[in-house]
């Protein structure tokens, strides 16, 4: 039973709220101690059960940790009536504190309600137009872990006008030091709708810089784990990011929300069947990443099946049983028509041959059982026939042959890849002078090759499917990479996050409809977030000048920040002035990023070191002493800093293989700042940024 609504007029409301915070923290400590004191000696039937229970208890203890600098609750809802009860006149309302996790007292009564619970939903969605039976919504302000302010909205009071929450704005604009944090206190109605969408359907979120799409995806995982914990505990969840730096940046969000079991990986991690040591040129990578390669690989795999031309003779005791070639051909044809995986069909073939023998045995008056069928399936003659008809396929060896044997590739790519495309992906053409690769181990595999091997592996044996997959920065994936991700959620759902304007690979996604088809989720709902909560107005307005050239169909992000932010364009003479700009921004509270074309990073690193300014690499955690990160433009995507110095926009564009990709890379770099941006340039700015 929850606390009745209390009139806050008499006394000191802030003191009472602080008292409730102290009581809630004490209750959380008690909950944690209860779990720590559990005795499982008489519960676990064996050591395996004991190990599982110990692991689950350990995870529960971690989930109940009280993070001193993380507010235990951030809001309060005072309902006019008890939720679920009839709204009769005079009915008593209830009061709920909304926080990151559920906390109850010794009697089991809730002191803090999990933000994901249905009763918490009006905190995010209630408005003056639709108060959802909420009389009062209170937001709390914190300094560190101390409750220092509150702000009230009387949603059901017709005399009070709707207004922007100051505490909400302060929370959005709070300086960023360290890894990405959750947005559980600031989720907006349109974001909440996506977060609480059901497990059964997939969702694609198109969101420009600062719209919170990554946070929405992570909070959706947390919500689904709350609403469908038992199911997802069995099937698993996975967050896929573009690189290790990005994953390190977001890795604390879910643990802060009490979720510790979600795996994080890159696409390269998922397809790591071989060691990747090589790099394709963009032309080869585009062809290898094309969805047409799936059919080339399928043809190559099934080309190993040879129709039988001889009978199979099975000797058992004094009897001989013959399965003629025409009957074997029918069996093989049926397996091919069933379109099951190569390996599953190969395992079924000896049983199908054995079944044909058992039919003959029964006709002759014998009564064979399953043990006899298994014995026949293991017969030397049957095994030899299976090896000849349906030999095993090693995925890596098959891909190696396709990439090194021009004739083999030509046969299986006929009508799919033209001659030039085939030459583009071959490692060594006849007469090229290049040494042929002779083994899987000696090959210098590229990331695109690893995806081809993963596709082939799935043709041979089924890839394990998870319950839910979040795919972030999805616009940069090739069709074959989408297929690799899709294999991981064939029986589950997906949350796809990205921005078409930030696609910076030669194979970047042209439309979400096309991408979702490759992913196997063509029925996914596509949502667009256009309200910018992170990037200041002046910064996003300047960056949006590039949109007509890089993504003409997209709606520009409209910043909802009250603070327009700091923005400055500075012509400079040398790197010393870039360093000076960094020093200027470091006088502010929060983090600073120096973003530059990859080729300029060594010179800037030397200049910073010479000036005695310490700096970090992307993904390394900032501290109060070291708050500057030196960021190659190629790694800036998904990261954010309070202040940014962007060095030489023209060099960022020129560092890419084509102008559109370069302008997209520049758009990413321009939109990493939360509070202020200085653009420094000695060379002319790209003409697309001109007034």
């Amino acid at each position: 039973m929850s606390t009745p609504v209390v009139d806050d007029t008499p006394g000191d409301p802030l003191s009472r709220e602080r008292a409730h915070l102290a009581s809630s923290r004490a209750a959380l400590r008690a909950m944690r101690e209860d779990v720590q004191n559990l005795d499982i000696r008489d519960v676990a039937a064996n050591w395996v059960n004991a190990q599982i229970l110990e692991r689950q208890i350990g995870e529960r203890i971690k989930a109940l940790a009280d993070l001193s600098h993380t507010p235990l609750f951030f809001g309060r809802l005072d309902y006019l009536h008890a939720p679920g009860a009839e709204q009769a006149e005079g009915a008593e309302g209830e009061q709920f504190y909304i926080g990151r996790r559920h906390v109850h007292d010794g009697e089991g009564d809730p002191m803090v309600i999990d933000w994901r619970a249905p009763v918490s939903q009006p905190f995010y969605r209630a408005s003056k137009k639709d108060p959802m039976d909420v009389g009062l919504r209170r937001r709390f302000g914190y300094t560190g872990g101390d409750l220092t302010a509150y702000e009230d909205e009387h949603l059901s009071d017709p005399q009070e006008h709707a207004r922007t929450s100051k505490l909400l704005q302060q929370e959005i604009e709070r300086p960023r030091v360290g890894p990405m944090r959750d947005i559980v206190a600031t989720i907006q109605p349109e974001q909440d709708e996506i977060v609480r969408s059901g497990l059964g359907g997939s969702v694609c979120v198109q969101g420009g810089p600062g719209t919170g799409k990554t946070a929405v995806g992570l909070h959706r995982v947390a919500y689904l784990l709350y609403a469908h914990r038992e199911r997802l505990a069995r099937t698993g969840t996975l967050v896929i990011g573009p690189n290790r730096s990005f994953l390190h940046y977001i890795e604390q969000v879910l643990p802060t929300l009490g979720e510790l079991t979600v795996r994080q990986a890159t696409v390269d991690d998922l397809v790591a069947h071989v060691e990747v040591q090589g790099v394709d040129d963009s032309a080869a990578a585009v062809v290898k990443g094309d969805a047409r390669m799936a059919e080339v690989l399928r043809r190559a795999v099934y080309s190993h099946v040879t129709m039988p031309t001889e009978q199979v003779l099975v000797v058992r005791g004094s009897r001989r049983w013959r399965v003629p070639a025409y009957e074997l051909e029918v069996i093989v044809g049926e397996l091919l028509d069933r379109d099951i995986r190569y390996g599953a069909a190969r395992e079924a073939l000896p049983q199908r041959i054995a079944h044909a023998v058992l039919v003959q045995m029964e006709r002759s008056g014998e009564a064979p059982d399953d043990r006899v069928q298994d014995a026949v399936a293991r017969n030397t003659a049957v095994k030899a026939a299976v090896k000849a008809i349906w030999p095993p396929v090693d995925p890596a060896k098959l891909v190696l042959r396709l990439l090194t044997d021009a004739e083999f590739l030509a046969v299986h790519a006929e009508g799919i890849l033209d001659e030039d495309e085939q030459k583009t992906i071959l490692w060594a053409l006849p007469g090229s002078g290049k040494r042929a690769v002779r083994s899987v181990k000696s090959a210098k595999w590229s990331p695109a090759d690893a995806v081809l091997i993963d596709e082939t592996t799935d043709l041979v044996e089924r890839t394990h499917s998870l319950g839910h997959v979040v795919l972030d920065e999805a616009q940069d994936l090739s069709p074959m990479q989408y297929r690799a991700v899709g294999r991981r959620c064939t029986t589950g759902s997906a949350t796809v996050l990205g921005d078409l304007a930030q696609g910076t690979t030669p194979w970047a996604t042209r439309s979400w409809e096309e991408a979702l088809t490759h992913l196997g989720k063509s029925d996914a709902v596509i949502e667009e977030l256009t309200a910018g909560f992170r990037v200041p107005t002046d910064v996003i307005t300047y960056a949006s000048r590039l949109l007509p050239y890089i993504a003409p169909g997209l709606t520009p992000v409209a910043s909802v920040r009250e603070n327009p932010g700091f923005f400055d364009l500075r012509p400079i003479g040398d790197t010393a002035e870039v360093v000076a700009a960094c020093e200027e921004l470091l006088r502010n509270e929060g983090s600073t990023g120096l973003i530059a074309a990859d080729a300029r990073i060594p010179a800037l690193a030397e200049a910073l070191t010479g000036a005695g300014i310490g700096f970090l690499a992307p993904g390394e955690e900032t501290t109060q002493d070291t708050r500057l990160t030196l960021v190659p433009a190629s790694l800036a995507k998904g990261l954010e800093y309070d202040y940014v110095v962007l060095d030489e926009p023209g060099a960022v564009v020129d560092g890419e293989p084509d102008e559109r990709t370069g302008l997209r890379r520049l758009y990413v770099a321009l939109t990493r700042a939360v509070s202020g941006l200085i653009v420094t340039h000695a060379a002319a700015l790209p003409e697309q940024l001109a007034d």
Side-chain angles (χ1 to χ4, degrees), residues 10-21:
D12 179 6
L14 195 57
S15 294
R16 276 199 297 278
E17 300 295 15
R18 286 170 174 164
H20 187 78
L21 177 61

Side-chain angles (χ1 to χ4, degrees), residues 176 578-579 581-586 588-596 601 604 608 613-620 622 626-633 636 639-647 669-680:
R176 284 149 168 75
V578 179
V579 172
C582 292
E583 290 176 319
E584 176 185 332
L585 294 182
L586 284 169
N588 300 306
E589 185 183 0
S591 58
T592 297
L594 171 55
I595 303 177
I601 292 296
L604 291 170
L608 290 170
I613 300 175
F615 59 90
L616 304 165
E620 293 182 340
T622 56
T626 308
R627 294 180 290 115
L628 177 67
T629 303
L630 180 57
V631 188
L639 305 179
E640 60 182 32
Y641 304 93
D642 287 294
Y643 295 90
V644 167
V645 176
L646 174 58
D647 168 72
L670 283 167
T671 54
R672 300 303 95 200
V674 175
S675 297
L677 170 67
I678 297 175
V679 177
T680 60

Side-chain angles (χ1 to χ4, degrees), residues 69 142-144 167-182 249 533-534 561 563 585-592 622-624 627 640-643 672-676:
H69 292 290
Y142 287 82
T143 302
L167 288 179
L168 187 63
Q169 283 290 331
Q170 288 172 14
E171 175 63 21
I172 289 171
E173 297 176 14
R174 183 156 57 94
R176 284 149 168 75
V177 175
M180 180 181 177
R181 58 176 183 257
D182 66 74
Y249 178 63
F533 303 98
R534 176 172 58 78
R561 299 274 295 274
N563 181 356
L585 294 182
L586 284 169
R587 297 188 195 110
N588 300 306
E589 185 183 0
S591 58
T592 297
T622 56
T623 65
Q624 292 299 334
R627 294 180 290 115
E640 60 182 32
Y641 304 93
D642 287 294
Y643 295 90
R672 300 303 95 200
V674 175
S675 297

